[in-house]
Amino acid sequence: YPFGPGNTVSGVNRPEKWTNLWISDPAAGFPQWLEWELARPVLIGHLQFFFEAALDLEYKQCPPFFVPAGIPSRYRVSILEGSRWKRVVEVKGNAEYLRRHDFSPRPARKVRLEILEVNGGRSAVVTEVRGYRRPPV
Protein backbone atom coordinates (compact mmCIF):
# COMPACT_ATOMS: atom_id res chain seq x y z
CA TYR A 1 0.00 0.00 0.00
CA PRO A 2 1.81 3.14 -1.18
CA PHE A 3 -0.09 5.59 1.06
CA GLY A 4 0.92 4.38 4.55
CA PRO A 5 1.50 6.47 7.68
CA GLY A 6 5.30 6.22 7.46
CA ASN A 7 5.18 8.48 4.41
CA THR A 8 4.34 11.46 6.64
CA VAL A 9 7.79 11.40 8.27
CA SER A 10 9.86 10.69 5.14
CA GLY A 11 11.24 14.24 5.08
CA VAL A 12 9.61 14.90 1.68
CA ASN A 13 6.10 16.28 1.32
CA ARG A 14 5.72 16.00 -2.44
CA PRO A 15 5.42 12.97 -4.72
CA GLU A 16 8.98 12.31 -5.77
CA LYS A 17 10.52 8.83 -5.81
CA TRP A 18 7.55 7.63 -3.75
CA THR A 19 4.06 8.88 -2.90
CA ASN A 20 5.14 10.60 0.37
CA LEU A 21 1.62 10.91 1.74
CA TRP A 22 -0.95 9.10 3.87
CA ILE A 23 -4.51 8.65 2.68
CA SER A 24 -7.15 7.50 5.16
CA ASP A 25 -9.35 4.50 4.35
CA PRO A 26 -12.34 5.84 2.36
CA ALA A 27 -14.50 2.89 3.45
CA ALA A 28 -13.89 3.43 7.19
CA GLY A 29 -15.50 6.86 7.57
CA PHE A 30 -14.38 9.20 10.33
CA PRO A 31 -12.83 9.57 12.83
CA GLN A 32 -9.52 8.10 11.70
CA TRP A 33 -6.11 8.74 13.23
CA LEU A 34 -2.39 8.68 12.68
CA GLU A 35 0.06 8.07 15.48
CA TRP A 36 3.82 8.62 15.62
CA GLU A 37 5.93 6.87 18.25
CA LEU A 38 9.20 8.51 19.23
CA ALA A 39 12.32 6.53 20.13
CA ARG A 40 12.41 8.27 23.51
CA PRO A 41 10.41 11.05 25.21
CA VAL A 42 11.11 14.39 23.52
CA LEU A 43 9.93 17.91 24.44
CA ILE A 44 7.44 19.07 21.82
CA GLY A 45 5.83 22.52 21.78
CA HIS A 46 5.28 23.10 18.07
CA LEU A 47 3.71 20.84 15.44
CA GLN A 48 3.38 21.40 11.70
CA PHE A 49 0.96 19.46 9.52
CA PHE A 50 0.92 19.50 5.73
CA PHE A 51 -2.38 18.34 4.27
CA GLU A 52 -3.58 17.77 0.70
CA ALA A 53 -2.46 20.58 -1.59
CA ALA A 54 -4.10 19.33 -4.86
CA LEU A 55 -0.76 19.22 -6.65
CA ASP A 56 -2.37 17.26 -9.48
CA LEU A 57 -4.46 20.28 -10.52
CA GLU A 58 -3.36 23.18 -12.68
CA TYR A 59 -3.94 26.61 -11.17
CA LYS A 60 -6.49 27.47 -13.88
CA GLN A 61 -8.50 24.35 -12.97
CA CYS A 62 -9.19 25.60 -9.44
CA PRO A 63 -12.16 27.89 -8.82
CA PRO A 64 -11.75 30.90 -6.50
CA PHE A 65 -11.36 29.91 -2.84
CA PHE A 66 -10.88 26.26 -3.80
CA VAL A 67 -10.28 23.89 -0.86
CA PRO A 68 -9.09 20.36 -1.63
CA ALA A 69 -11.58 17.76 -0.37
CA GLY A 70 -8.95 15.78 1.61
CA ILE A 71 -7.92 18.63 3.91
CA PRO A 72 -9.11 17.88 7.46
CA SER A 73 -11.71 20.46 8.46
CA ARG A 74 -11.98 19.21 12.05
CA TYR A 75 -9.20 17.48 13.94
CA ARG A 76 -7.52 17.01 17.31
CA VAL A 77 -3.92 16.44 18.34
CA SER A 78 -2.91 14.62 21.51
CA ILE A 79 0.47 13.83 23.06
CA LEU A 80 1.22 10.81 25.22
CA GLU A 81 2.86 12.06 28.42
CA GLY A 82 3.89 9.10 30.53
CA SER A 83 0.79 6.88 30.37
CA ARG A 84 -1.82 9.64 29.75
CA TRP A 85 -2.97 11.28 26.53
CA LYS A 86 -3.12 15.10 26.74
CA ARG A 87 -5.02 17.02 24.08
CA VAL A 88 -2.91 19.96 22.91
CA VAL A 89 -4.81 21.11 19.78
CA GLU A 90 -8.42 21.11 18.62
CA VAL A 91 -9.34 22.66 15.26
CA LYS A 92 -12.73 23.29 13.65
CA GLY A 93 -13.37 24.88 10.26
CA ASN A 94 -9.91 24.32 8.78
CA ALA A 95 -9.42 24.93 5.05
CA GLU A 96 -5.62 25.37 5.00
CA TYR A 97 -3.11 22.84 3.73
CA LEU A 98 -0.35 23.97 6.14
CA ARG A 99 -1.16 24.27 9.83
CA ARG A 100 1.22 25.22 12.62
CA HIS A 101 0.33 24.79 16.28
CA ASP A 102 2.20 26.14 19.32
CA PHE A 103 1.64 25.02 22.91
CA SER A 104 3.66 24.68 26.13
CA PRO A 105 6.47 22.17 25.46
CA ARG A 106 5.59 18.73 26.81
CA PRO A 107 7.59 15.51 27.06
CA ALA A 108 6.00 13.30 24.39
CA ARG A 109 6.44 9.59 23.70
CA LYS A 110 3.74 9.55 21.02
CA VAL A 111 1.80 12.10 18.97
CA ARG A 112 -1.69 11.36 17.62
CA LEU A 113 -3.60 13.25 14.93
CA GLU A 114 -7.29 12.36 15.03
CA ILE A 115 -9.21 13.49 11.95
CA LEU A 116 -12.92 13.96 12.57
CA GLU A 117 -14.07 15.53 9.27
CA VAL A 118 -12.66 16.60 5.90
CA ASN A 119 -13.75 19.24 3.39
CA GLY A 120 -16.14 17.08 1.39
CA GLY A 121 -13.97 14.07 0.52
CA ARG A 122 -14.16 10.47 1.65
CA SER A 123 -10.48 10.38 2.70
CA ALA A 124 -8.10 12.64 4.57
CA VAL A 125 -4.69 13.32 3.05
CA VAL A 126 -1.64 14.11 5.21
CA THR A 127 1.67 14.67 3.43
CA GLU A 128 3.97 15.53 6.32
CA VAL A 129 4.19 16.12 10.06
CA ARG A 130 7.03 17.84 11.90
CA GLY A 131 7.51 18.35 15.61
CA TYR A 132 9.79 20.81 17.41
CA ARG A 133 10.41 22.01 20.94
CA ARG A 134 9.91 25.59 19.71
CA PRO A 135 8.78 27.01 16.38
CA PRO A 136 11.57 26.92 13.80
CA VAL A 137 13.11 30.27 12.95
Side-chain angles (χ1 to χ4, degrees):
Y1 184 70
F3 305 110
N7 292 337
T8 62
V9 292
S10 68
V12 180
N13 68 359
R14 299 279 189 258
E16 193 183 55
K17 295 178 183 174
W18 189 243
T19 58
N20 296 317
L21 55 90
W22 171 79
I23 299 177
S24 69
D25 181 353
F30 293 99
Q32 291 191 49
W33 53 269
L34 279 167
E35 189 173 285
W36 300 272
E37 185 168 359
L38 306 169
R40 58 180 169 69
V42 175
L43 281 176
I44 295 179
H46 176 85
L47 288 167
Q48 290 182 177
F49 296 101
F50 293 83
F51 301 124
E52 179 180 10
L55 295 175
D56 57 329
L57 298 177
E58 294 285 334
Y59 179 73
K60 61 187 173 190
Q61 292 177 294
C62 299
F65 309 107
F66 173 73
V67 177
I71 290 179
S73 58
R74 193 163 70 96
Y75 63 92
R76 296 186 271 232
V77 181
S78 300
I79 288 180
L80 185 63
E81 283 185 48
S83 61
R84 297 187 56 188
W85 286 99
K86 306 275 184 162
R87 185 168 300 148
V88 294
V89 173
E90 184 150 0
V91 174
K92 296 177 183 173
N94 179 53
E96 298 176 27
Y97 80 95
L98 169 58
R99 291 301 309 257
R100 294 180 171 111
H101 301 287
D102 295 313
F103 45 90
S104 296
R106 300 171 172 272
R109 291 184 335 149
K110 293 182 181 183
V111 176
R112 179 182 289 167
L113 170 63
E114 183 181 11
I115 299 168
L116 306 169
E117 294 176 6
V118 293
N119 281 285
R122 292 181 48 224
S123 296
V125 178
V126 180
T127 60
E128 186 174 47
V129 62
R130 293 180 180 203
Y132 302 94
R133 182 175 182 176
R134 293 185 197 95
V137 177

